[in-house]
Every structure is written in structure tokens, then in C-alpha cells.
Amino acid sequence: MLRKSSVQILMIIVGLTAACTDQGSPTAEPGPSSNSPTSTSPTSTSTTSTSPTSTSTTSTSPTSTSPSTADTTTTTTTEPKVEVPTGILAVVPTQNREDPSKNQFQVQMINQTRDRFDVIGVQFVWEGFTTSPTTRDSIIVGGQTIDFPVPFPGAECVGDGTIDTMPDAATAIVKLTLEDGTVQEVPVFDVWHLARKLYLDDCEKQMIESLVTIEWADLHEEDFEGRPVTAGSLRLTRRSSTQTIRITAVSNTIPHEFDAVNGLLNGSIIELAAAETTAETPIRILESRCDPHALAEVKQPYKFIAQVDIGDGILRSYIIYPPREMWIPMRLTADAACVATGQVVFVGDESSSA
């Protein structure tokens, strides 16, 4: 009897303890989702690189000189999120992984109405850039999201081409030409800030190209250490710049590896001194990876990104594409090098070769 009473008392104590614990630590309410509604999310993962959140930190200290009483306040500023209203036909610019190499982006049509649109033409219109009309033969029904690829025409840079003078992306529209000949103006919501990025990147590219021409020269195949490689030079030709221009690094791509034959000199691959009009340095393009994924890479195999200092000490990214007529020969050379060096691994053979 005593044991039974003790067990009952113990159960009561445990129950009270659990109840107190639950009251002291309530379950947190789930915060609002930072994701866009399902209907507005682009299918491309490459768009996640344009996150709308930026953070700045400012410190304020009281007039007291005592370090023990100093107070530091951190202020976090979050850029307002662009929301797509419900119940309308709307556009969100997006970009898939292969789009940059095709010099295009996607006009993502989001139809949250009950209407049907028989589309025969699409045009993105904005003061920052306007595409040429693109012919379509598509139907957008209520509740449907569909992507239309359109060519990127290059930015119409306003002022100095920076964000301070950039036209408001909220003024962009897409003109849909319908089967009956009418034109519907659809509002654009730059949720992923892609229109802004395309504009700013291209304006910076135009600024660099107004100062200097950066290019590959005399690309050809030659033998290096028993396998074929693409050789040539990296050339700088002065345009309007009067400053010393340097390239400090050039990225690899999945199938290709950049090799500066002379290495770095004072931290630079190549330097165009203020008194010079041209400068060249020898380079090689070697095979980079020979695994099945690399051998199948066709989306951005020629996107070599250089870090350029135009004379102000700031490194800016600039893409150096080889001449298009060299793309296939360069790729065949890299593939032949993989074979010559015995690095080719076929799908299914990875474990046996380990």
C-alpha cells in the first residue's frame, strides 16, 4: 500500500515538473517564410545568387571615456523584399545556369488569374535595357507559370552606370502580343534583382571596355609535356585609359585550366603601364578535369573570369571569352589531353579506378 502511494506521489511530481517546464519554454511560433510563394519561385538555382538582403553595421559610443561603460549598437538594414501581388498576371526575371553563355535570360510569366492568354510575341521593356520582340506560340492558362527565354541586348547605361543612377526596375514591363493582335502590358517584379544585376554588370563591362581591350590572341594547339594544349597570349590594348592596368588572376572553367607561362610579376599576370599602348603575355589553356561530369560540361566551359585593376586599386571581374571559332577546337584539345594523360574515367568505372 505504501509503495503504491509512493508511486502515485512520484507520478504527480513528475507531471507537475513537466507542466512547469512546458510553461517556462513555450513552443516558438514559426516566423514568416523568407521564400517566395510557390507560384513565383524560379526553377533555376542560379538565381539564388542575387539575394536581396544586405547588412550594414554602425557603431555608436557614449561620451564617457571609460572603456568599461562603452556601448556598441549594431544596426542591421535589410533591403525591402520585392513581393508579387496575388490575383494578377505578373513577370519575374530569372536566369538558368546555361543562360549566361547564351546571352539570354528568362521572362517568367506567372498567371494568377482565371484568364487565358494566347501569346505570339514577348518583349521586355525598361529604361535600363529593352529586348527585341521575340516570337512565341504559347498559351498561358490560369494558375500556370511559364518561362520565355529572351536575348539580353546589353544595358542602356544611365549616368555613370552605377546603382545610384540606375533606372527604377519597378518601371519595367513586358509587352505580350496576343493572338488577336492586342498588346498586354504586364508589370515586372524583380524579385531576385536579376534585371538590376544584368544592368550593373553590363555597365561595368562597358566601362572597362571603354578603357582597354582585353582579349586572347593567336590561340593554337601545341604540345606541352606530352599532351596537346591550347597556347597563345593574353593581350591588353589601351583605349581611353591613361592609368596602369593590371590583371591579377584568371579563373579556370570546368574543362579548362588557365596557366600563365611567366607566372606572376609583382602580383600581376599582365600589366599595361601608363606609357604603353599594348602588352602581351604568353598563356596556356590546359585540361582541368577529366571526369564524366567535366567531359559533359557544355554550359559555361569558356567563361574565364579575370580580375582587373583599371588603375584605381579596385579589382573588378571581367569575362574573357575566347573567339567563338576556337570553342570547339579548344574543347577537342582538352579532351585529347585527358586521353593522352590517361585521366579519362567512364561512368561506372570510378570505383574500380580508385
Side-chain angles (χ1 to χ4, degrees):
M1 184 70 177
L2 179 60
R3 177 176 297 179
K4 183 177 181 181
S5 299
S6 300
V7 171
Q8 291 176 337
I9 293 172
L10 180 60
M11 291 176 64
I12 293 172
I13 293 173
V14 171
L16 290 173
T17 303
C20 292
T21 303
D22 288 342
Q23 291 175 359
S25 304
T27 303
E29 292 281 343
S33 172
S34 60
N35 298 324
S36 301
T38 303
S39 61
T40 63
S41 297
T43 57
S44 167
T45 58
S46 63
T47 56
T48 59
S49 61
T50 55
S51 170
T53 302
S54 59
T55 303
S56 61
T57 303
T58 57
S59 298
T60 57
S61 57
T63 54
S64 171
T65 57
S66 172
S68 60
T69 60
D71 179 30
T72 300
T73 302
T74 300
T75 302
T76 300
T77 303
T78 302
E79 185 174 355
K81 184 178 179 181
V82 179
E83 299 281 359
V84 179
T86 58
I88 66 169
L89 178 66
V91 169
V92 174
T94 67
Q95 197 167 52
N96 300 323
R97 185 172 179 267
E98 65 270 19
D99 285 338
S101 63
K102 296 179 180 180
N103 197 39
Q104 68 182 25
F105 65 102
Q106 304 288 326
V107 170
Q108 185 175 84
M109 308 297 308
I110 305 170
N111 187 3
Q112 300 182 81
T113 73
R114 297 182 178 181
D115 298 328
R116 165 178 166 154
F117 300 90
D118 294 85
V119 181
I120 62 171
V122 178
Q123 184 181 26
F124 185 96
V125 179
W126 178 39
E127 189 181 352
F129 56 84
T130 295
T131 69
S132 57
T134 301
T135 301
R136 302 295 308 181
D137 183 12
S138 304
I139 297 173
I140 312 174
V141 298
Q144 184 181 20
T145 296
I146 184 171
D147 291 358
F148 293 149
V150 293
F152 175 61
E156 295 289 340
C157 303
V158 177
D160 60 0
T162 66
I163 195 168
D164 293 332
T165 57
M166 184 186 79
D168 185 0
T171 62
I173 61 169
V174 164
K175 291 185 176 181
L176 282 187
T177 303
L178 304 181
E179 194 175 47
D180 62 4
T182 61
V183 176
Q184 176 120 1
E185 294 188 353
V186 184
V188 172
F189 299 88
D190 198 16
V191 172
W192 307 105
H193 299 304
L194 177 69
R196 178 175 74 183
K197 183 179 188 302
L198 291 173
Y199 173 89
L200 294 176
D201 286 355
D202 196 65
C203 286
E204 185 171 82
K205 172 177 176 286
Q206 291 180 39
M207 182 269 293
I208 293 173
E209 291 177 346
S210 72
L211 301 174
V212 61
T213 298
I214 305 172
E215 61 185 340
W216 306 112
D218 188 30
L219 295 180
H220 61 277
E221 182 180 305
E222 68 178 30
D223 186 78
F224 175 66
E225 297 182 348
R227 89 278 206 182
V229 301
T230 298
S233 62
L234 179 58
R235 178 188 296 160
L236 304 182
T237 304
R238 184 176 303 282
R239 302 189 76 176
S240 65
S241 172
T242 59
Q243 305 296 316
T244 296
I245 297 176
R246 305 183 304 125
I247 292 182
T248 62
V250 177
S251 71
N252 302 326
T253 70
I254 290 178
H256 299 110
E257 178 181 326
F258 172 82
D259 178 31
V261 174
N262 294 335
L264 296 178
L265 179 62
N266 298 324
S268 300
I269 294 172
I270 185 173
E271 179 176 299
L272 179 63
E276 297 176 337
T277 55
T278 62
E280 285 192 33
T281 189
I283 60 93
R284 297 188 193 96
I285 305 296
L286 313 176
E287 78 285 355
S288 178
R289 286 170 43 191
C290 300
D291 56 273
H293 171 74
L295 294 175
E297 169 61 30
V298 295
K299 295 179 180 177
Q300 299 187 53
Y302 310 106
K303 187 178 179 179
F304 296 91
I305 304 175
Q307 299 302 311
V308 184
D309 177 0
I310 58 175
D312 56 4
I314 299 173
L315 291 179
R316 295 174 170 86
S317 295
Y318 181 84
I319 300 173
I320 319 175
Y321 286 107
R324 185 171 288 272
E325 64 269 18
M326 287 299 301
W327 287 13
I328 293 178
M330 286 176 64
R331 185 55 187 270
L332 293 176
T333 298
D335 290 351
C338 287
V339 174
T341 55
Q343 299 182 69
V344 175
V345 178
F346 294 97
V347 176
D349 292 343
E350 294 92 340
S351 59
S352 61
S353 63

